[in-house]
Amino acid sequence: MEPNSVTPVSLNATQIETAVNVPSIARRRLKTFLIALLSVILLLVSLVMAFHAYIAWTLAKPHIDPLRSNPALAFGAAYQDIQFPSLNDSTLLNGWYIPAAQAAASKKTVVFSHGYGGNREEIWVPLYDLAQELHKQNYNVLMFDYGFVQPKESVTGGIRESQELLGAVKYAREQGAEQVFVWGFSMGAGTALQAALLSDDIDGMILDSTFILDPDTLYHNMKQVADLPRYPTLPLVYLFFPLINGVSLNQVPYNQVKETKYNIPIFFIHGEQDMKAPFEMAQELFRNQPANSGSQLWLLPNDSHELIYRAHPQTYLELTMGFLRGLSTPLSGQ
């Protein structure tokens, strides 16, 4: 054999056909793989979107317990079942109006603003105890349910709720109140701050465990339930929220609330162990109030969200009732 010669290789027909088909087989396998990969990606994206839509839905539709009692059963006070519209007539609200112990003489009314996931009883506070003390101190009391307590409605972070609170304030004025004070809890406190941006009919506020629905507090609360990344979790929840209830969380005026110097006295009450509404926000709000506004801050180092009254009932009542007395002007017949 000559050096560097190549021995011819003979291929039969089957081998030739196989060799020719190798590229097409590879292409089919690649195509199948890409389709499968795309299907997996689409499935994962769908699951992620559905999961965040569910988060937005649960935020908008919290579980609400039914009413357990009423003012007559809870502390023996006469009361009226009432209905009134929100200020912009978007919702019809239900509540109780409790005339003061000396109703003919009282021109002062306290409107309770309950928090997220609660109703007019706010049973974990409980509001009945505070209503009883106000009744004895000769204040009329208005307790009502925000619209989201009704099955057809949803939470809007104070956007619609502020109009509902102002509807309650208007109702109190129509009953003859010359002074109306709002006592808010958690998101109900944040709603009160939003309402005070829109009206001068509130003469003062007590705000316990103030929660304002801004991106930081929303993510702070979601992260306690599941260790989710801020992105894309927060943008996706903001995306789905208006699709569920018709309002965007971007409509919540949280920056305006934080920056406003209110022209009424506000008593901020907050616990430093609050895991739902960071106490630094209450500090910031208080520090932003004018020095001569009469506003106060009671910050407790060892207390948590909305449980301050339960931990310090006597001191709580002394401070809150003292604050209200300081706001009350001498009115005819009192």
Side-chain angles (χ1 to χ4, degrees):
M1 182 180 294
E2 297 181 3
N4 300 322
S5 64
V6 177
T7 304
V9 177
S10 63
L11 298 174
N12 59 37
T14 301
Q15 290 174 319
I16 293 173
E17 183 179 356
T18 301
V20 170
N21 286 336
V22 165
S24 61
I25 293 172
R27 283 196 296 270
R28 285 199 299 270
R29 288 176 177 173
L30 178 61
K31 182 178 179 180
T32 302
F33 171 77
L34 290 176
I35 291 173
L37 179 61
L38 182 60
S39 299
V40 170
I41 291 172
L42 289 174
L43 176 61
L44 290 175
V45 169
S46 299
L47 290 174
V48 168
M49 299 294 279
F51 174 70
H52 288 88
Y54 175 74
I55 292 176
W57 186 85
T58 56
L59 286 171
K61 302 283 187 180
H63 170 76
I64 309 290
D65 287 334
L67 294 173
R68 303 183 185 183
S69 187
N70 61 56
L73 293 174
F75 57 95
Y79 71 98
Q80 303 163 17
D81 286 307
I82 61 173
Q83 272 195 337
F84 57 89
S86 60
L87 190 64
N88 62 2
D89 290 319
S90 63
T91 46
L92 186 64
L93 307 161
N94 300 303
W96 296 318
Y97 182 76
I98 310 167
Q102 302 174 31
S106 183
K107 300 292 183 181
K108 303 174 295 184
T109 298
V110 172
V111 177
F112 281 121
S113 175
H114 70 78
Y116 174 85
N119 57 32
R120 72 187 83 164
E121 295 176 312
E122 199 88 77
I123 205 71
W124 50 84
V125 173
L127 289 192
Y128 284 126
D129 286 12
L130 306 183
Q132 180 179 16
E133 185 64 27
L134 288 166
H135 181 68
K136 291 193 300 184
Q137 297 289 337
N138 210 38
Y139 292 87
N140 307 307
V141 178
L142 198 159
M143 306 169 72
F144 77 101
D145 293 334
Y146 277 111
F148 64 75
V149 173
Q150 304 170 26
K152 65 177 182 178
E153 302 292 351
S154 57
V155 174
T156 67
I159 300 165
R160 187 180 60 237
E161 290 84 359
S162 57
Q163 292 290 323
E164 294 171 345
L165 177 56
L166 290 175
V169 171
K170 180 182 178 183
Y171 183 93
R173 294 282 184 187
E174 292 172 345
Q175 306 312 301
E178 296 179 14
Q179 290 182 292
V180 178
F181 310 109
V182 172
W183 198 330
F185 298 83
S186 189
M187 189 177 288
T191 295
L193 289 167
Q194 291 187 50
L197 294 173
L198 306 172
S199 173
D200 294 326
D201 281 342
I202 300 171
D203 295 292
M205 300 191 291
I206 299 173
L207 305 181
D208 185 326
S209 306
T210 302
F211 180 97
I212 299 171
L213 192 60
D214 66 3
D216 290 336
T217 53
L218 176 57
Y219 179 65
H220 173 79
N221 279 267
M222 289 193 299
K223 193 169 176 63
Q224 293 180 56
V225 178
D227 190 15
L228 301 170
R230 187 180 180 96
Y231 300 99
T233 297
L234 205 54
L236 286 175
V237 170
Y238 268 70
L239 171 68
F240 284 112
F241 198 87
L243 300 178
I244 293 169
N245 61 18
V247 298
S248 170
L249 290 174
N250 291 317
Q251 294 174 250
V252 178
Y254 52 86
N255 282 327
Q256 188 180 359
V257 166
K258 293 177 184 179
E259 295 167 1
T260 295
K261 298 181 184 297
Y262 291 89
N263 60 0
I264 56 174
I266 305 173
F267 186 14
F268 296 96
I269 302 171
H270 219 100
E272 291 188 26
Q273 303 306 312
D274 193 324
M275 300 304 293
K276 295 182 179 179
F279 73 91
E280 291 87 354
M281 182 174 292
Q283 282 184 317
E284 178 185 353
L285 288 164
F286 170 69
R287 289 168 182 165
N288 198 42
Q289 302 314 304
N292 61 351
S293 67
S295 294
Q296 301 176 26
L297 172 64
W298 183 26
L299 194 60
L300 297 101
N302 300 313
D303 290 271
S304 55
H305 194 70
E306 286 193 89
L307 298 178
I308 296 170
Y309 168 71
R310 282 187 178 273
H312 315 277
Q314 183 174 349
T315 304
Y316 191 102
L317 290 178
E318 288 174 356
L319 293 177
T320 53
M321 296 303 156
F323 177 77
L324 289 173
R325 282 193 298 271
L327 303 186
S328 299
T329 59
L331 301 172
S332 59
Q334 295 197 31

